[in-house]
Amino acid sequence: MKFSEQWLREWVSPQLDTQAIADQITMAGLEVDAVEAVAAAFSGVVVAEVLTKEKHPDADKLNVCTVNDGSGEPVQVVCGAANVDIGQKIPFAQVGGVLPGDFKIKKAKLRGVESRGMICSASELGLEEETSPGILVLANSAPIGIDFREYMHLNDMTIEVDLTPNRGDCLSVKGLAREVGVLNRLAVTPPVIESIPAVIDDTFAVSVEAPEQCPRYVGRLIKGINVKAETPLWMVERLRRSGIRSIDPVVDVTNYVMLELGQPMHAFDRDNLNGRIVVRMAKEGERLTLLDGQDIALRPGTLMITDEAGPLAMAGVMGGENSGVNETTQTIFLESAFFTPLAIAGKARSYGLHTDASHRFERGVDPELATAAIERATRLLLDICGGQPGPVTECVSEEYVPASRTILLREARLESALSKKLANEDVTDILTRLGLEVSQQAEGWSAVAPSWRFDVAIEEDLIEEIARIHGYNNLPVRRPAARLALRSADEATLTQAQLRRQMVARGFQEAITYSFVAPELQAAILPDAVSPVLANPISADLSVMRASLFPGLVRAMEHNLNRQQTRVRLFETGLVFNGELDQLSQVPMMGALVCGSRETEGWAGSKERIDFYDLKGDLESLLALDGNLDAWRFEPAEHPALHPGQSAEIQYNGEHAGWMGTLHPQVRAKLGLKMDAVLFEVRLDMLSQGQIPAFEALSRYPEVRRDLAFIVKQAVPVQALLDCAKEKAGDYLKDITLFDVYAGKGVADDHKSIALGLTWQHPSRTLNDEEINQLVDSIVTQVRVQLEAELRG
């Protein structure tokens, strides 16, 4: 919201400079974004009158004029503007003046004719951003010789306020004046809004079929208006200083009332209306061409202003092109309504629109303001365009008009929240100045919120209002005092920090991606995933909650590959979301992705590509942190995102804990990735379950090692062989190691040789060969029976 300081001071004028006002309203919760001058710096420009005008003897597009600038003698000036004419009051830059951009006015000869000054356009004075088509013509009442800056009140500042969504009541000069008046204990002087009597009996029928969305609709016919009348310069300037461009007098008046009072309005051309105005919801298949030329297909659930022929405007958002005011309009139907915030919220955005009207209606407009606004607009229109007003017609559904809210504020609760006791009369004074009706109660105060304060509904709202008006700087500053016990550290639980440090130590970098992803990306990686779809996503490619960390990591890998980073090692921790909203599970996960070469580039480094087992080694280093690596297993399984022959389900104590594998070639092709990637994803709650280390005395007796090589079928996993060996190896098995896998010459087709190293050690004696041989025989027999494996000769 931008507003002119001078306009504000017409309502309320505290004894503060511009910056002090900006600081004051910022501290009251209305943050000021910018304070800027309303016009660029210039000097030596006065109001003058064009006395004569003749064609330049040597230039068809130039005129030789004389002007009266109040100096006592006519001044000759050459002007190239097509709209210059005798009798006009114009801004005149005298010799010695300086225009914006440090352009100095000097005596000059244009095509042999002397020119002593310059008749200025609005853009040359910095009052318009675009180049003006002609000179700026002032009102006939403008006094000759007066300094132009003084005449136009250009020694003014524009203050831009960034309002939070709950303070829609301050989206007007009236609302801001109320705030400044409260903060400075000053009375606010609004313009007098008189009831304009009807001079004709003409009305236009209105029917409200959606009273819950439109509890109040006010309208009035005005006949015989002159739309070609010129909007007064003072109004054009106030609109400009508020960031709104002047269009025509009717639109300018509706915009002016919106800025002044906070009530958006619209004017229809009566001759383009059929039958009656109907306020209803849109029907399937209806279309509307908006004022900006867009043709949109309307959706059911959109509140519309229609007549018997079809849609006229999108309620609270924008009018239609066919029913708008144009150059031939003579009779207008002026609309002023209250639309409930929920009826308008999000509707403009859903059609790709955002207007000043929707911005206000979404946040809440005073439901009692519509009639006063239409009277104010009528007065301004009659003064500018003339015309004959009809009676004001009003349709009200009282049961849907927001009711007054009575709130109890407890004295003890207020003192507790502010850490300060305020005098009862001060509390009553603050609430009264804010527009609330206050009465003293035994516990504190009972307050009735005014119609324009949608955000004041509960006790905490009143406490906030008192705090900000009293001044946050005036509240005591206290450091919290508490007896804080040290947090107990569970040695059996691994923290995320420990897990992250381990991944960083393995050469990974942490990635942080959005919790929402593109639906097509998630569908490509997880075709059967069900996760919540966002109703109002920040962008189309971030519209579903992620059901896995895989999509975000794959997108991060793609981002790096596109920037010539050919070796990527990323990990991430975060929540994944599965199921619909009513049965949503949110599970913390840790995931990682690697692609590219196994080692960093270097003269001694290998150029081999990373594979499944490289990442498996990184993951096992993570799993080993809990001191219970044997609780984890990798079982062959299929996952839609992973290569069928290079994927595994990760289990912890027999429970599903995650997935690991190489990205499926079809998925990689669908996403346009040119490099293989290996990924894993594991539940954080299971990763965090460790065990407390316990001391075990070192044995003083020698270890005994036996190496066994088995011929097994290719399909037999190594884990199955390890399980068989451990089952029969006895209680004193200290270690079992896979040290060789071979397939080729000397080994039958579709078979492989797996070599295991087994180490035994007894804590209190030396193991003899007979004991070890019995254990080895048991292992060989078990492997032969369960896996059809033979000891390699």
Side-chain angles (χ1 to χ4, degrees):
M1 170 67 186
K2 295 173 68 174
F3 65 95
S4 157
E5 180 188 353
Q6 288 184 357
W7 194 2
L8 175 70
R9 287 188 182 275
E10 289 184 9
W11 289 69
V12 58
S13 186
Q15 298 300 311
L16 301 172
D17 61 19
T18 306
Q19 191 58 51
I21 291 177
D23 293 342
Q24 185 182 61
I25 61 179
T26 294
M27 288 305 299
L30 312 178
E31 183 181 355
V32 172
D33 272 356
V35 178
E36 299 175 345
V38 301
F42 62 85
S43 61
V45 181
V46 299
V47 175
E49 181 181 9
V50 179
L51 300 177
T52 64
K53 168 189 168 184
E54 296 177 358
K55 282 289 183 183
H56 192 289
D58 295 324
D60 293 338
K61 294 185 178 181
L62 297 180
N63 297 298
V64 180
C65 304
T66 57
V67 301
N68 176 13
D69 63 354
S71 60
E73 294 184 3
V75 180
Q76 180 173 289
V77 61
V78 177
C79 178
N83 66 327
V84 66
D85 207 352
I86 297 173
Q88 290 175 336
K89 298 290 183 67
I90 43 87
F92 179 67
Q94 298 172 314
V95 173
V98 181
L99 297 185
D102 199 29
F103 180 72
K104 297 178 181 178
I105 304 299
K106 302 175 182 178
K107 290 182 181 180
K109 282 191 176 182
L110 298 177
R111 295 287 185 93
V113 177
E114 185 180 54
S115 178
R116 292 182 294 148
M118 176 178 173
I119 302 176
C120 302
S121 68
S123 58
E124 289 165 339
L125 295 171
L127 301 181
E128 287 183 1
E129 293 184 4
E130 299 179 0
T131 302
S132 303
I135 62 169
L136 178 62
V137 180
L138 308 178
N140 290 330
S141 59
I144 295 172
I146 189 173
D147 183 89
F148 181 73
R149 294 190 70 93
E150 180 183 346
Y151 169 69
M152 291 289 292
H153 305 289
L154 294 180
N155 298 319
D156 186 15
M157 304 297 287
T158 292
I159 302 175
E160 184 173 359
V161 181
D162 184 15
L163 297 171
T164 52
N166 65 315
R167 291 311 306 269
D169 61 297
C170 290
L171 286 167
S172 64
V173 175
K174 179 180 181 179
L176 289 165
R178 275 194 302 248
E179 286 291 303
V180 174
V182 170
L183 294 169
N184 293 281
R185 297 176 180 268
L186 294 174
V188 177
T189 308
V192 176
I193 299 178
E194 57 184 0
S195 179
I196 308 299
V199 297
I200 59 174
D201 296 328
D202 296 28
T203 60
F204 196 76
V206 175
S207 174
V208 178
E209 296 180 0
E212 188 173 353
Q213 291 77 24
C214 178
R216 173 172 278 120
Y217 190 95
V218 181
R220 169 178 250 168
L221 277 178
I222 304 178
K223 295 181 67 175
I225 65 166
N226 176 18
V227 295
K228 295 182 180 179
E230 188 174 347
T231 304
L233 190 56
W234 62 266
M235 182 176 287
V236 173
E237 266 298 289
R238 286 188 172 178
L239 293 174
R240 181 185 72 84
R241 296 177 196 187
S242 298
I244 295 179
R245 181 174 58 89
S246 174
I247 297 174
D248 63 55
V250 177
V251 175
D252 291 348
V253 165
T254 57
N255 283 334
Y256 182 85
V257 173
M258 177 183 69
L259 292 172
E260 183 182 61
L261 303 180
Q263 173 68 55
M265 304 181 70
H266 187 65
F268 297 98
D269 185 332
R270 167 62 183 86
D271 294 336
N272 291 329
L273 302 181
N274 294 283
R276 60 190 176 118
I277 290 287
V278 182
V279 184
R280 60 169 173 81
M281 309 307 288
K283 299 176 182 177
E284 192 71 49
E286 287 187 317
R287 304 189 68 87
L288 175 66
T289 301
L290 299 172
L291 283 170
D292 62 0
Q294 288 190 68
D295 182 68
I296 59 173
L298 301 171
R299 296 186 292 272
T302 303
L303 187 63
M304 302 299 300
I305 310 298
T306 71
D307 62 8
E308 293 181 356
L312 300 173
M314 191 183 299
V317 179
M318 188 182 292
E321 183 178 62
N322 296 332
S323 61
V325 175
N326 55 60
E327 294 180 353
T328 63
T329 299
Q330 295 182 343
T331 303
I332 64 169
F333 178 73
L334 198 58
E335 167 196 277
S336 179
F338 169 68
F339 305 115
T340 57
L342 287 178
I344 308 301
K347 290 297 184 295
R349 244 182 345 268
S350 70
Y351 288 95
L353 302 170
H354 181 78
T355 64
D356 289 323
S358 67
H359 188 75
R360 285 163 172 79
F361 278 122
E362 286 179 338
R363 287 153 177 77
V365 172
D366 184 355
E368 305 297 331
L369 186 59
T371 302
I374 211 163
E375 296 287 7
R376 175 65 168 159
T378 302
R379 178 73 277 160
L380 292 170
L381 284 169
L382 295 182
D383 291 344
I384 298 169
C385 304
Q388 301 159 330
V392 174
T393 58
E394 183 177 20
C395 294
V396 184
S397 300
E398 293 291 352
E399 65 271 29
Y400 296 116
V401 175
S404 299
R405 299 173 299 282
T406 302
I407 309 154
L408 176 64
L409 173 61
R410 294 166 293 170
E411 185 176 354
R413 178 74 181 90
L414 177 65
E415 183 177 350
S416 172
L418 301 185
S419 297
K420 181 178 183 178
K421 182 174 178 59
L422 300 181
N424 288 359
E425 54 271 21
D426 289 341
V427 174
T428 302
D429 177 59
I430 289 173
L431 294 177
T432 302
R433 285 188 285 126
L434 284 166
L436 289 87
E437 298 177 11
V438 184
S439 60
Q440 195 79 35
Q441 302 289 324
E443 293 182 79
W445 300 266
S446 176
V448 179
S451 59
W452 61 84
R453 289 303 298 268
F454 283 86
D455 60 315
V456 176
I458 58 176
E459 185 178 33
E460 284 70 18
D461 295 330
L462 294 181
I463 294 172
E464 178 189 358
E465 291 300 299
I466 291 169
R468 69 183 190 86
I469 300 302
H470 179 70
Y472 295 120
N473 290 338
N474 296 323
L475 298 177
V477 177
R478 295 182 182 175
R479 295 181 177 85
R483 298 176 62 86
L484 302 176
L486 292 175
R487 181 187 300 174
S488 61
D490 186 357
E491 293 184 65
T493 301
L494 292 171
T495 65
Q496 286 193 34
Q498 291 174 288
L499 299 172
R500 289 191 181 106
R501 282 197 294 269
Q502 177 66 14
M503 294 299 287
V504 171
R506 302 286 294 190
F508 285 79
Q509 292 181 309
E510 185 172 11
I512 300 175
T513 65
Y514 284 110
S515 295
F516 15 88
V517 296
E520 58 274 10
L521 174 63
Q522 181 148 293
I525 296 175
L526 304 163
D528 300 324
V530 177
S531 63
V533 178
L534 302 181
N536 187 23
I538 59 176
S539 68
D541 59 349
L542 295 171
S543 59
V544 297
M545 303 301 291
R546 64 186 178 194
S548 165
L549 296 180
F550 287 169
L553 289 170
V554 168
R555 187 62 77 206
M557 178 192 77
E558 180 185 20
H559 184 84
N560 280 273
L561 293 178
N562 289 341
R563 285 154 182 80
Q564 292 78 50
Q565 300 300 311
T566 57
R567 186 174 186 267
V568 179
R569 296 172 67 83
L570 299 173
F571 79 95
E572 180 177 15
T573 59
L575 292 174
V576 299
F577 307 86
N578 285 280
E580 300 293 351
L581 279 175
D582 53 349
Q583 294 181 329
L584 183 66
S585 68
Q586 304 180 54
V587 182
M589 304 290 285
M590 171 174 273
L593 177 147
V594 293
C595 72
S597 60
R598 177 171 292 143
E599 299 177 11
T600 56
E601 185 178 8
W603 66 272
S606 168
K607 295 184 179 180
E608 294 178 349
R609 292 285 180 182
I610 205 160
D611 62 19
F612 178 93
Y613 296 102
D614 292 306
L615 186 61
K616 184 170 183 282
D618 293 323
L619 176 55
E620 286 180 336
S621 78
L622 202 64
L623 305 180
L625 291 177
D626 68 359
N628 190 20
L629 185 58
D630 291 340
W632 295 90
R633 294 180 66 87
F634 294 82
E635 295 291 343
E638 291 191 5
H639 185 283
L642 304 177
H643 194 298
Q646 301 178 37
S647 61
E649 180 189 10
I650 305 170
Q651 296 180 353
Y652 178 72
N653 288 329
E655 290 186 50
H656 172 78
W659 290 95
M660 178 181 172
T662 304
L663 193 63
H664 199 296
Q666 292 181 355
V667 174
R668 185 163 61 86
K670 189 180 295 184
L671 298 178
L673 302 175
K674 299 179 180 179
M675 192 177 291
D676 279 333
V678 188
L679 313 90
F680 77 71
E681 181 179 54
V682 188
R683 285 180 53 169
L684 263 176
D685 56 345
M686 293 183 176
L687 268 179
S688 302
Q689 294 179 22
Q691 61 183 18
I692 298 175
F695 173 74
E696 184 178 314
L698 297 175
S699 175
R700 294 182 296 169
Y701 298 92
E703 296 177 347
V704 180
R705 172 167 171 143
R706 294 284 190 275
D707 292 344
L708 303 175
F710 295 96
I711 303 295
V712 298
K713 292 181 179 179
Q714 282 283 3
V716 175
V718 172
Q719 186 65 51
L721 191 60
L722 293 172
D723 291 342
C724 284
K726 289 178 182 178
E727 184 180 345
K728 294 296 181 179
D731 296 333
Y732 305 120
L733 181 69
K734 184 180 179 182
D735 189 25
I736 181 168
T737 305
L738 169 69
F739 66 86
D740 184 54
V741 178
Y742 171 75
K745 186 176 180 180
V747 176
D749 293 341
D750 196 31
H751 284 70
K752 60 186 175 182
S753 170
I754 298 176
L756 304 178
L758 295 94
T759 304
W760 287 270
Q761 186 179 36
H762 198 285
S764 58
R765 64 180 177 85
T766 301
L767 293 169
N768 56 50
D769 287 343
E770 183 179 351
E771 291 175 293
I772 298 301
N773 290 337
Q774 287 180 356
L775 294 173
V776 169
D777 290 342
S778 298
I779 292 171
V780 172
T781 302
Q782 180 77 356
V783 169
R784 182 182 296 116
V785 171
Q786 287 197 4
L787 303 179
E788 300 179 0
E790 294 294 335
L791 196 63
R792 185 177 177 186

